[in-house]
Amino acid sequence: MLLSKPQKSLIRLLREFGAVREGQAQKLLMMEYQDLRWEPVIRQLESGGMVRREDGCVKLPDCCPEINLLNAIDVMLLLNPKKIELFQKGIPPFSITLFKERNQMLWRYDVCSVSLGREPVINAALEAVNPKYRIMIFILEKPEQQKSLFVPCEHCFSWKEKGKYHFYK
């Protein structure tokens, strides 16, 4: 099947993440292709069996959405609503890693979902992290979790309440 550039970009995105929310896929593709019409892009891939739409997500046929990854993509889009140049699936415990220029330097932003009771595991993983030119964003289930995290570099915390993300340092 011949694919357009936006369709190839969507397939690349899904190969990296497995599944994304449909709105996330639209936003990410529209950053690259401003005049994009979503339905023609997705309809051909869906009818060809290359992707599926289920429960508000676009996914590869054999993949299941990871809620931590979906939330991390939401946060990434809130941090960079206009253009995201470089991003990739993160190395655990991070769900996603993106790169952004700040003060004429390329900074690494790591987004990490923190489940209740998982704070010691995150702390142990952070001991080996190089803090130079790095910012970490932690998505918490409850704001009180921040007291249990010991972060070696610049960071902020976020939690979702009533469908809206709140950020604080």
Side-chain angles (χ1 to χ4, degrees):
M1 173 186 309
L2 280 173
L3 300 178
S4 67
K5 287 181 180 182
Q7 289 170 325
K8 289 176 184 176
S9 292
L10 179 58
I11 294 296
R12 263 194 313 277
L13 178 71
L14 294 176
R15 284 185 181 145
E16 178 77 21
F17 299 115
V20 296
R21 290 187 180 110
E22 194 163 346
Q24 294 171 337
Q26 287 177 11
K27 285 179 187 175
L28 289 167
L29 286 180
M30 289 186 87
M31 287 178 183
E32 197 173 342
Y33 308 99
Q34 288 79 22
D35 299 329
L36 178 79
R37 290 183 26 236
W38 176 250
E39 277 305 314
V41 168
I42 191 73
R43 195 178 311 120
Q44 181 185 5
L45 293 173
E46 193 175 22
S47 64
M50 297 178 78
V51 301
R52 289 191 181 153
R53 289 198 271 194
E54 292 177 10
D55 303 321
C57 289
V58 178
K59 63 186 203 100
L60 293 176
D62 57 343
C63 291
C64 294
E66 296 176 41
I67 191 68
N68 289 342
L69 183 57
L70 298 178
N71 291 338
I73 294 171
D74 280 341
V75 168
M76 175 182 75
L77 288 168
L78 288 171
L79 292 172
N80 296 311
K82 293 186 177 157
K83 183 78 173 160
I84 301 169
E85 295 288 335
L86 299 166
F87 62 94
Q88 64 188 26
K89 193 168 184 176
I91 298 169
F94 304 107
S95 299
I96 197 164
T97 298
L98 62 132
F99 299 89
K100 184 176 175 182
E101 193 171 314
R102 180 178 170 203
N103 301 328
Q104 300 178 349
M105 298 293 295
L106 190 62
W107 284 67
R108 177 182 178 144
Y109 289 69
D110 291 302
V111 183
C112 178
S113 293
V114 184
S115 304
L116 284 172
R118 196 163 169 248
E119 298 89 346
V121 174
I122 304 284
N123 286 331
L126 294 179
E127 288 177 1
V129 167
N130 180 355
K132 192 170 184 177
Y133 306 118
R134 191 172 203 159
I135 297 175
M136 295 179 190
I137 300 100
F138 296 93
I139 304 171
L140 309 176
E141 290 183 9
K142 295 188 178 194
E144 301 81 39
Q145 288 177 278
Q146 71 172 331
K147 297 172 189 166
S148 303
L149 291 171
F150 306 102
V151 187
C153 61
E154 195 173 333
H155 62 280
C156 74
F157 299 101
S158 173
W159 83 97
K160 193 174 186 178
E161 184 177 62
K162 296 179 184 174
K164 186 174 179 182
Y165 286 93
H166 301 275
F167 293 89
Y168 58 97
K169 288 191 176 211

